[in-house]
Amino acid sequence: MSELTIFNGLIIAWLVTAAVTFLALLFISAPYGRHGRSGWGPQIPATLGWILMEAPSPLGMTLLFVLATPERHRNPAAIAFLALWLVHYINRAFVFPFRMRNAGKTMPAAVALMAVVFNLGNAYLNGRWLFHFSPLYPDAWLTDPRFLVGVALFFAGFAINQHSDWVLLHLRKPGETGYKIPRGGLYRFVSCPNYFGEVLEWTGWALATWCVAGVTFAVWTAANLVPRAITHHRWYREQFPDYPSERRAVFPYVL
Ligand code: NDP
């Protein structure tokens, strides 16, 4: 069986798993952060967990680029895709974990392991397609409207995600571990603008790369984060009687 046949099978399996995960997460919240609870096996420090979970993404993508042919190394679109990926993932894997104010918090090793499997598979599907299986993107791709609108969405999402995470990470004083009502920016409209930004980013990625692997990542991001946003939103409303009633969960004015 050729690698491409396996690749195509994996894409289908990936989409089916995203649909199953979406349905499961509507009923069972992933047990980390405020939804952490016992019964999910051994725990590891949350900061370590985040690094272990996310590092396979930038490392895997970079490795797949390095293993590509010299023609790909010189290809402007391939270089741009790697750059976008690393802009997001260097922060997520190596900066964000050290900025969390989560003194002493832990997460189940099982959650970290599931995320490692996801990130390895996701980096493989995107990197192997973009740097190996895809037809070579022409130089003119960088001025194609799909690329330009996709990159604009990506950076708009990145800015929203960064700002929203920044607000959250500054709610606690050093040593605090409790929760407060976040305010400002897109928190005026939704409880989880960081998730909204993330969904926007990978939707932009799907558009800019114009490939099925990119679409699977956007679909997975929404399947993972929309149910979590609904659960966060419900949690905020239960915890804080004065929680702003006009806020939605994740998509301004919609959901
Ligand atoms: P959360 O919004 O649940 O938490 C982010 C950080 O802020 C945590 O350190 C959390 O602490 C803290 N925090 C959150 N809310 C409050 C509050 N009200 N008061 C005080 N502190 C608060 O996000 P996640 O941890 O789920 O995700 C972190 C980032 O990773 C996000 O940007 C998200 O988009 C991204 N992500 C992307 C995924 C994808 O599929 N692409 C999957 C998962 C995450 P604590 O941990 O103690 O709750």
Side-chain angles (χ1 to χ4, degrees), residues 32 34 92 105 161 165 179-180 195 198 232 236:
Y32 72 91
R34 79 195 65 185
R92 179 66 70 237
K105 285 209 173 182
N161 177 264
D165 274 348
Y179 295 90
K180 301 170 188 175
Y195 295 168
E198 186 100 20
H232 271 19
Y236 273 124

Side-chain angles (χ1 to χ4, degrees), residues 1-10 124 128 132-133:
M1 197 189 293
S2 74
E3 187 190 347
L4 187 56
T5 308
I6 296 171
F7 180 94
N8 288 331
L10 199 55
Y124 170 76
R128 197 63 175 153
H132 182 73
F133 289 128

Side-chain angles (χ1 to χ4, degrees), residues 32-36 46 50 53-54 88-89 91-92 96 99-103 105-107 118-119 122 161-162 164-165 167-172 176-182 187 191-199 201-202 217 220-225 228 232 235-236 240:
Y32 72 91
R34 79 195 65 185
H35 308 295
W50 273 95
M53 288 195 298
E54 302 296 329
H88 176 88
Y89 272 112
N91 170 65
R92 179 66 70 237
F96 174 79
R99 294 176 60 217
M100 290 192 301
R101 292 189 174 162
N102 60 353
K105 285 209 173 182
T106 59
M107 69 161 66
F118 169 77
N119 279 321
N122 192 45
N161 177 264
Q162 286 291 299
S164 308
D165 274 348
V167 169
L168 292 180
L169 297 177
H170 286 81
L171 285 174
R172 291 175 181 155
E176 284 183 351
T177 54
Y179 295 90
K180 301 170 188 175
I181 300 177
Y187 286 101
S191 294
C192 302
N194 51 344
Y195 295 168
F196 170 65
E198 186 100 20
V199 170
E201 260 185 276
W202 299 112
F217 188 15
W220 247 104
T221 303
N224 198 5
L225 295 183
R228 192 165 177 83
H232 271 19
W235 181 92
Y236 273 124
F240 299 102

Side-chain angles (χ1 to χ4, degrees), residues 37-58:
R37 53 200 184 272
S38 59
W40 288 80
Q43 301 274 325
I44 57 173
T47 302
L48 175 66
W50 273 95
I51 299 167
L52 292 178
M53 288 195 298
E54 302 296 329
S57 258

Side-chain angles (χ1 to χ4, degrees), residues 181-183 187-191 233 236-237 240-248:
I181 300 177
R183 298 186 192 276
Y187 286 101
R188 276 181 293 150
F189 305 104
V190 291
S191 294
H233 186 60
Y236 273 124
R237 291 166 77 131
F240 299 102
D242 56 336
Y243 196 69
S245 58
E246 68 284 4
R247 274 189 208 179
R248 299 301 182 108

Side-chain angles (χ1 to χ4, degrees), residues 6-24:
I6 296 171
F7 180 94
N8 288 331
L10 199 55
I11 286 270
I12 293 166
W14 217 240
L15 286 170
V16 171
T17 318
V20 173
T21 302
F22 174 75
L23 292 175

